[in-house]
Amino acid sequence: MKYSRNVKMLLIVSIFMNLSLFAPIETVYFTTKGVPVQIISLLNLIVPIGCAVLEIPTGIIGDCIGRKKTLSVAMGCFALSSFLLIFSNCVPMYFIIYLVEAVGWSFFSGNTDAIIVEDVKGTNLNLGAQFSFFYAGFSIAPIIAGMLNSTILKNANGDTYRMLIILTFIFKFCSFICTIFLKLKSDISKGSNEAKIIFFSCLRKVLLEKESIFIVVYEACGRLQYYIPVLTQTMLNRNGFDIKLFGVLYTLITIITAVAQFFANKILEKTNNRFVLKNSMILLVFSVMLMISNNNILIILGLLLISIVGPIRNLPLTLIKNKEIEDEVRSTYLSIISFLVLTLNFVVLSIVGFIFSYSRVCGLAALMVVIFIGGAISVNKICLEGDK
């Protein structure tokens, strides 16, 4: 399979930006700084909430200033957040750091997909393969980071934690440098006075076209790979699962996700969008059903299955969202879609989490219902090119 030069460079960017040696010891580090668990939880909520709020403004900016500059800003925010963390020792500063990271993710979202689509347009390169190749960096990097983290932490102390943060900053700064070497075919910046026109034209497209609404519903109701570990870790911990094995489980999930990402496009080529989306919905429902038994082996099996389905399900959704959008407004359109997905996903999973806190079985049953109904009412309404 052939990959464009820019997609290869984006893979390197994604690997460096995800090489966080700090992530595996994040909670431990803040605990040593005397930060309460409640505050640590709030810090982690800033990124998804901040992304949702900033998605649309950063998408409009991306269409106005150009793709390359937008990506550089995103990588610069990631590097800045890690740099500030090296010298920070107070809770208010930690909140600022996480807000800067949220800004980075907002600039990154949508804009990067736009770069890949526009780079491949007019060539004989397979777009699905380009996306699959790029997103592999999100799985490869955590595996490398986990191994490096374990090696360095053999003799852990305060200085070791600081070194991990410094190394994380260096890696993220490298991702910023790599953006300089992107050579985009056409990346014309537009005047800021066009922002209003761009925003409202994309908003009308999203709200008036049923396909876009159903894409949001389908994606939001089955977007579990970032949330389900919260439920599974809670259940496993209650069942006396050895805490030392959580790290092994994390590595296993990351490897499985990487393998699934690699085969995602091959599966899509041999089937079609409709087949993948329908069966993804069924597999997600089955995965949650396994967890109702409260058996550790079945809980882990369900978690692994969700990790496999996630990247396979994401590829056709990405292709569908990009298929008929003009390059000039692509980043704004994808950002509006992302904002709606994040918001609906947050509301749905918050309700599920509330129910789960009172009854494990009822919470998981509610999640199954959400996945099935959301998928059933939307998958056949999505206009799938070539699958009708």
Side-chain angles (χ1 to χ4, degrees), residues 131-144:
F131 274 118
S132 187
F133 182 74
F134 163 66
Y135 281 113
F138 286 77
S139 301
I140 294 171
I143 295 173
I144 298 172

Side-chain angles (χ1 to χ4, degrees), residues 79-251:
L80 178 60
S81 65
S82 296
F83 179 76
L84 293 174
L85 187 59
I86 298 173
F87 307 100
S88 300
N89 284 295
C90 63
V91 171
M93 196 64 198
Y94 295 148
F95 275 99
I96 293 174
I97 289 168
Y98 276 73
L99 182 59
V100 171
E101 184 175 346
V103 173
W105 281 112
S106 297
F107 274 110
F108 181 83
S109 175
N111 179 69
T112 314
D113 285 0
I115 291 175
I116 295 174
V117 172
E118 293 162 18
D119 189 58
V120 173
K121 185 174 290 187
T123 72
N124 59 357
L125 295 175
N126 183 291
L127 180 58
Q130 309 304 305
F131 274 118
S132 187
F133 182 74
F134 163 66
Y135 281 113
F138 286 77
S139 301
I140 294 171
I143 295 173
I144 298 172
M147 292 188 293
L148 289 175
N149 185 278
S150 299
T151 303
I152 296 172
L153 281 175
K154 285 182 178 179
N155 298 303
N157 55 52
D159 291 335
T160 306
Y161 296 152
R162 183 181 175 83
M163 181 173 67
L164 291 174
I165 297 172
I166 292 173
L167 288 174
T168 299
F169 161 69
I170 292 173
F171 290 139
K172 292 185 183 297
F173 184 74
C174 287
S175 71
F176 170 75
I177 296 298
C178 287
T179 62
I180 298 173
F181 298 97
L182 286 170
K183 295 182 179 179
L184 306 186
K185 298 174 185 176
S186 178
D187 195 24
I188 302 172
S189 301
K190 295 181 282 293
S192 59
N193 59 338
E194 294 185 46
K196 185 177 179 179
I197 298 174
I198 291 173
F199 170 70
F200 283 107
S201 66
C202 289
L203 187 62
R204 282 194 297 271
K205 182 176 181 63
V206 171
L207 297 180
L208 298 180
E209 294 185 5
K210 290 183 179 180
E211 179 186 16
S212 297
I213 296 298
F214 285 116
I215 286 173
V216 170
V217 172
Y218 182 90
E219 186 171 0
C221 290
R223 197 173 188 267
L224 304 181
Q225 60 267 39
Y226 304 110
Y227 177 77
I228 205 68
V230 176
L231 301 185
T232 55
Q233 286 178 24
T234 301
M235 290 187 287
L236 291 172
N237 190 49
R238 289 175 181 173
N239 292 344
F241 189 73
D242 190 345
I243 194 169
K244 295 178 182 177
L245 296 178
F246 277 107
V248 176
L249 183 59
Y250 172 81
T251 303

Side-chain angles (χ1 to χ4, degrees), residues 294-333:
N294 205 30
N295 178 282
N296 282 354
I297 293 177
L298 293 181
I299 291 172
I300 293 172
L301 183 60
L303 176 60
L304 296 178
L305 190 54
I306 288 171
S307 302
I308 293 171
V309 173
I312 296 174
R313 173 181 179 272
N314 183 63
L315 182 58
L317 285 172
T318 301
L319 295 176
I320 292 167
K321 286 185 288 187
N322 278 283
K323 75 177 187 297
E324 291 181 354
I325 305 301
E326 299 82 4
D327 292 347
E328 292 78 9
V329 298
R330 189 179 302 278
S331 184
T332 301
Y333 172 80

